[in-house]
Amino acid sequence: MFECSYIMDFMIFQTYFNIYYGIILDTTWYRGSFIADDIIASGESMLDIGYELKMRGAKNIFTCATFPLFTAGLDKFDKAYNDGIIKAVLGTNLTYRKPELLERPWYFDVDLSKYTAYFIAAINHDMSVSSIIDPMTKIKHLLDNHGIPIGNQE
């Protein structure tokens, strides 16, 4: 299981599918790509982007969804994984996940229990949840710890 506090550094772009995906850049070409969506039902749009990025030379493609429902089944993702299109799918534990999904070698469960508890505690204490929703402080801290400049900073 992945801890949610593990964050990859990536640039975010919006596609015409209204899905956000990021590309981790290497000095020569794509080292890897990150495709994120809110829900995986059929996974069609996510896989379409994955196949397109692979055709353009992306090496490792990681996908992520808040709600990994897979209502259309797992076969398309099995094929994409076996064909080397996707490296992994990360999904949260915020919804029911089928037992067969949890057994897939390409699926990683991301535990968001801690952050759900933060929301509940903030609401119970009549506090703002802004600091939980806005990740900028956490991202800046992470980048500072790794010596990665932000924007035009050197």
Side-chain angles (χ1 to χ4, degrees):
M1 185 169 299
F2 277 89
E3 286 293 323
C4 186
S5 57
Y6 176 72
I7 300 173
M8 291 187 289
D9 53 319
F10 59 90
M11 297 173 1
I12 298 178
F13 301 94
Q14 185 173 15
T15 69
Y16 57 93
F17 290 115
N18 201 24
I19 296 173
Y20 295 91
Y21 70 93
I23 300 173
I24 303 171
L25 298 175
D26 191 303
T27 54
T28 54
W29 192 237
Y30 303 126
R31 184 173 67 210
S33 300
F34 184 80
I35 304 169
D37 201 355
D38 54 352
I39 297 172
I40 296 177
S42 69
E44 292 272 334
S45 55
M46 187 177 274
L47 290 175
D48 285 346
I49 293 170
Y51 280 98
E52 183 65 31
L53 287 172
K54 198 60 152 180
M55 284 178 22
R56 293 174 185 234
K59 298 206 182 341
N60 296 311
I61 299 172
F62 299 91
T63 63
C64 175
T66 307
F67 302 107
L69 302 175
F70 291 94
T71 56
L74 304 170
D75 295 339
K76 291 178 186 174
F77 280 84
D78 285 335
K79 180 178 179 352
Y81 175 75
N82 291 330
D83 291 348
I85 302 301
I86 59 169
K87 192 83 163 177
V89 175
L90 290 80
T92 70
N93 62 342
L94 296 177
T95 190
Y96 174 76
R97 284 103 50 234
K98 299 175 185 179
E100 56 268 21
L101 172 63
L102 298 173
E103 296 169 359
R104 293 301 203 269
W106 45 262
Y107 182 77
F108 295 90
D109 217 32
V110 179
D111 186 6
L112 291 180
S113 304
K114 178 170 87 173
Y115 295 97
T116 304
Y118 287 162
F119 270 99
I120 293 169
I123 292 168
N124 281 338
H125 294 284
D126 257 353
M127 296 169 55
S128 171
V129 295
S130 296
S131 63
I132 301 169
I133 295 170
D134 182 14
M136 286 309 297
T137 304
K138 293 174 187 143
I139 292 171
K140 285 178 185 175
H141 181 70
L142 177 70
L143 294 174
D144 286 343
N145 285 347
H146 286 69
I148 300 170
I150 299 172
N152 293 329
Q153 298 175 2
E154 288 297 327

